């Protein structure tokens, strides 16, 4: 019977032994200005992560702002632009990441000073109210056009994220696309569109 207290004491000392041997997990900080500036560089899986979405959006924004249409449009001061929700056509739960990405786009356009930008918060409030009243989908182009017009926008930016899975010899590769369009509210004409692509795979 005297062996039970000894066993209990041994089990109690196991966590302390692991802690003293350096096996305790350690939290680290990454990103610019830290001791781990490249922490976010490596891919942890084939799913879309924050860096993928940021770079896909960066490619699209660079194309937009270097396009002849953008140069011509921004010559006229006071142009009002709305940013509409992007549709997630992948099987991944990235709605929060997309909302963050669109907030970053809003910030860039506002700080750029070449266009006026409708508050996404105000737009969301109005869209949700009308969607409930009219039983409309926020991804309906006619609905986006209607709300953008009511908010005084001349153009609205919309888009979608898609993915295609490929399997070969038990290996998986996923091709992601971020498609962006700028629609003129009055005419429904597409004034700009671009598709940025990225592939991710598990390499053995």
């Amino acid at each position: 019977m005297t062996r039970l207290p000894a066993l209990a004491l041994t089990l109690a000392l196991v966590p302390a032994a692991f802690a003293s041997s350096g096996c305790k997990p350690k939290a680290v900080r990454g990103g610019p200005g830290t001791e781990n500036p490249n922490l976010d560089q490596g891919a942890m899986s084939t799913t879309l992560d924050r860096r993928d979405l940021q770079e896909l959006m960066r490619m699209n924004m660079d194309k937009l702002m270097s396009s002849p249409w953008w140069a011509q449009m921004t010559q006229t001061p006071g142009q009002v632009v709305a940013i509409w929700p992007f549709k997630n056509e992948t099987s991944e739960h990235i709605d929060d990441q997309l909302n963050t990405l669109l907030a970053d786009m809003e910030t860039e356009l506002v700080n750029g000073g070449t266009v006026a930008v409708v508050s996404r918060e105000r737009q969301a409030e109005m869209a949700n109210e009308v969607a409930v009243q009219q039983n409309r989908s926020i991804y309906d182009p006619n609905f986006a056009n209607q709300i953008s017009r009511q908010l005084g926008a001349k153009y609205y930016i919309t888009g979608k994220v898609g993915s295609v899975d490929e399997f070969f010899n038990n290996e998986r590769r996923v091709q992601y696309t971020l498609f962006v369009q700028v629609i003129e509210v009055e005419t429904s004409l597409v004034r700009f569109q671009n598709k940025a692509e990225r592939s991710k795979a598990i390499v053995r």
Side-chain angles (χ1 to χ4, degrees):
M1 299 294 292
T2 57
R3 296 178 60 188
L4 289 177
L7 178 59
L9 177 61
T10 300
L11 292 175
L13 291 175
V14 168
F18 274 108
S20 62
S21 65
C23 295
K24 183 178 179 181
K26 178 184 177 183
V28 296
R29 189 186 308 279
T34 71
E35 68 273 19
N36 300 288
N38 297 320
L39 183 65
D40 293 333
Q41 302 299 312
M44 299 184 69
S45 70
T46 57
T47 59
L48 272 175
D49 58 30
R50 179 174 59 87
R51 185 184 174 198
D52 295 322
L53 285 168
Q54 285 177 334
E55 293 185 357
L56 286 168
M57 183 62 80
R58 179 76 271 142
M59 286 186 270
N60 278 310
M61 290 297 287
D62 287 346
K63 287 286 188 180
L64 170 61
M65 293 185 173
S66 63
S67 68
W69 172 78
W70 183 264
Q72 180 181 9
M73 185 270 288
T74 53
Q75 287 179 0
T76 303
Q79 302 280 28
V80 182
V81 176
I83 302 173
W84 202 251
F86 280 33
K87 190 174 184 179
N88 176 19
E89 294 186 342
T90 74
S91 59
E92 300 175 24
H93 302 291
I94 57 171
D95 291 344
D96 289 341
Q97 293 95 314
L98 278 177
N99 285 333
T100 299
L101 202 68
L102 296 180
D104 290 342
M105 178 192 288
E106 179 184 50
T107 300
E108 181 172 347
L109 291 175
V110 168
N111 292 341
T114 56
V115 294
V117 184
V118 174
S119 164
R120 292 186 62 247
E121 183 176 350
R122 174 68 187 113
Q123 175 183 290
E125 290 174 357
M126 180 178 288
N128 289 334
E129 291 173 4
V130 177
V132 171
Q133 295 170 1
Q134 301 182 3
N135 193 27
R136 304 280 292 277
S137 167
I138 62 171
Y139 300 113
D140 179 352
N142 293 326
F143 182 54
N145 200 302
Q146 173 190 343
I147 299 300
S148 297
R149 182 181 290 106
Q150 291 178 15
L151 290 167
K154 186 169 184 179
Y155 304 95
Y156 69 91
I157 301 173
T158 186
K160 59 185 178 181
V161 183
S163 64
V164 176
D165 285 285
E166 295 179 339
F167 294 90
F168 181 73
N169 289 340
N170 295 323
E171 294 188 1
R172 182 189 185 203
R173 181 175 70 175
V174 188
Q175 294 179 312
Y176 294 102
T177 58
L178 178 60
F179 181 72
V180 173
Q181 281 187 322
V182 180
I183 311 294
E184 185 173 8
V185 172
E186 190 65 31
T187 63
S188 296
L189 292 175
V190 178
R191 292 303 185 182
F192 169 85
Q193 67 180 26
N194 189 69
K195 180 174 68 175
E197 299 177 308
R198 160 151 295 185
S199 295
K200 299 189 77 174
I202 297 295
V203 180
R204 299 179 185 273

